Amino acid sequence: MTAVYVLHDNPDWIPAFARAFEAEGVPLREWRLGEGVLDLDAEPPQGVFWSRLSASSHTRGAERAKDAARATLSWLESWGRRVVNGSAVASFEVSKAAQHAALRRAGFDVPRTVAVFGREGLSEAARGFDLPFITKHNQGGKGLGVRRFDDYAAFDAYVESTEFEEPADGITLLQEFLPSAEPFVTRAEFIGGRFAYAVRVDTSAGGFELCPAEACAVPEAGVEPEPLFRVRPEVTADDPLIRGYEELLAQLGIEIAGIEFLTTSTGRTVTYDINTNTNYSPDVEAAIDDPATRRVARFLGGLLAPAPAAV
Ligand SMILES: Nc1ncnc2c1ncn2[C@@H]1O[C@H](COP(=O)(O)OP(=O)(O)O)[C@@H](O)[C@H]1O
Ligand SMILES: [Mg+2]
């Protein structure tokens, strides 16, 4: 029997999808990236393959996932298997520089960004930025290496210190700090290349680690926290920004993604992150009629269905 194979590095992120796939009657099988054996001369199983390679896989002990994804996805593609978010998307996922380049070329407003290879050039490159500026890891996700600096001396001290966070690929990005007009950023979700919904992510606490997964929520004892993630119903598929994202995703062959943007105090709408491995917020999913997990199941299940016979 054919199935949807989900290639991933983190079993914690699968149950929400497993429930949705079951509810939609779509068979789902797990395929762990970076484990086991791959017979490169054997034919892959029949089915649809969905890559959920995550840029932060190395922080969960899955250091091999990135290279395993490259090997596995190339093999699947060589057999003509239907791969959703395939090898080209996997390399896009692990490079914010590549995301920045694609966004910029497509005409989106992006934060001014410099990639620094190794530690040596960081201090000098920082002088090219007004204060404050931020750092982030090229191979990012969940706010890796995202820090704000308000003076150059503090940055120099950080770079020299043992506190310095070494990026997985040795590339640190220096980026213009974007002052948000209001304390939130927006993440627009796309499934099958089409807009699903936009989420308002509250940033009033000031942190940069804005992972929407359930596992990332840190409830404070006895306090009912304000929901970090809420649907933004006013952002719709007709919005020119959303249409622009759909076009960009089509050009890049990205079928499932979450794109983040914010509006600055000077009225710029700036796009700074393309995630091809979304974990939908359980709060948001519970609040809407057609949860994204179910839409993903229907989209991938639809790809499994045999094409109608020619007449
Ligand atoms: N240039 C920026 N200026 C101000 N805040 C930013 C900037 N870039 C990112 N942020 C904040 O940091 C968070 C994490 O940055 P992001 O680029 O999305 O990295 P990650 O891929 O690790 O999520 C964002 O959701 C946003 O709140
Ligand atoms: Mg992000």
Side-chain angles (χ1 to χ4, degrees), residues 96 136 141-143 187 208 210-211 258 260 272-275:
K96 285 196 188 294
K136 55 174 81 166
K142 67 173 194 183
R187 178 159 164 145
F208 291 117
L210 301 170
C211 156
E260 291 176 34
Y272 58 84
D273 190 22
I274 301 180
N275 306 275

Side-chain angles (χ1 to χ4, degrees), residues 90-243:
S91 53
F92 197 74
E93 164 73 13
V94 295
S95 175
K96 285 196 188 294
Q99 296 166 24
H100 183 280
L103 285 163
R104 185 177 211 288
R105 179 161 195 277
F108 293 96
D109 191 347
V110 287
R112 188 169 91 79
T113 306
V114 161
V116 181
F117 306 100
R119 258 199 225 204
E120 304 73 31
L122 277 167
S123 290
E124 197 187 324
R127 299 316 193 260
F129 284 84
D130 291 335
L131 296 168
F133 64 89
I134 65 165
T135 59
K136 55 174 81 166
H137 287 180
N138 180 55
Q139 185 180 332
K142 67 173 194 183
L144 280 178
V146 183
R147 291 178 184 234
R148 171 185 163 149
F149 291 92
D150 292 87
D151 74 274
Y152 300 115
F155 179 65
D156 295 347
Y158 165 68
V159 171
E160 312 260 290
S161 74
T162 51
E163 228 191 290
F164 178 74
E165 290 180 73
E166 198 67 60
D169 61 2
I171 308 174
T172 300
L173 303 183
L174 298 180
Q175 191 165 87
E176 154 192 20
F177 177 79
L178 303 164
S180 225
E182 290 180 68
F184 71 86
V185 299
T186 302
R187 178 159 164 145
E189 297 293 352
F190 299 84
I191 297 162
R194 306 302 301 273
F195 176 68
Y197 57 67
V199 177
R200 177 193 199 279
V201 185
D202 190 299
T203 53
S204 53
F208 291 117
E209 298 202 10
L210 301 170
C211 156
E214 198 165 12
C216 299
V218 190
E220 212 176 307
V223 180
E224 188 60 49
E226 273 286 294
L228 260 184
F229 306 96
R230 261 185 275 164
V231 184
R232 280 193 71 193
E234 70 279 18
V235 179
T236 66
D238 302 330
D239 191 317
L241 182 69
I242 298 297
R243 287 191 186 186

Side-chain angles (χ1 to χ4, degrees), residues 10 22 48 55 70 79 96 115 121 164 186 191 225 239 254 264 282 297:
N10 187 0
E22 192 172 355
V48 166
R70 187 160 53 177
W79 283 91
K96 285 196 188 294
F164 178 74
T186 302
I191 297 162
D239 191 317
I254 301 174
T264 68

Side-chain angles (χ1 to χ4, degrees), residues 21-91:
F21 275 67
E22 192 172 355
E24 294 288 345
V26 178
L28 181 70
R29 296 208 190 132
E30 289 188 49
W31 186 305
R32 284 295 279 278
L33 286 168
E35 290 179 12
V37 176
L38 191 63
D39 181 349
L40 294 173
D41 297 304
E43 183 175 351
Q46 294 298 332
V48 166
F49 295 81
W50 170 34
S51 168
R52 281 184 51 85
L53 172 68
S54 156
S56 59
S57 51
H58 60 286
T59 65
R60 292 180 294 274
E63 285 80 6
R64 290 188 295 260
K66 177 169 69 165
D67 294 297
R70 187 160 53 177
T72 310
L73 296 170
S74 319
W75 169 71
L76 291 168
E77 285 162 0
S78 79
W79 283 91
R81 286 294 179 273
R82 181 68 169 88
V83 181
V84 169
N85 286 3
S87 55
V89 177
S91 53

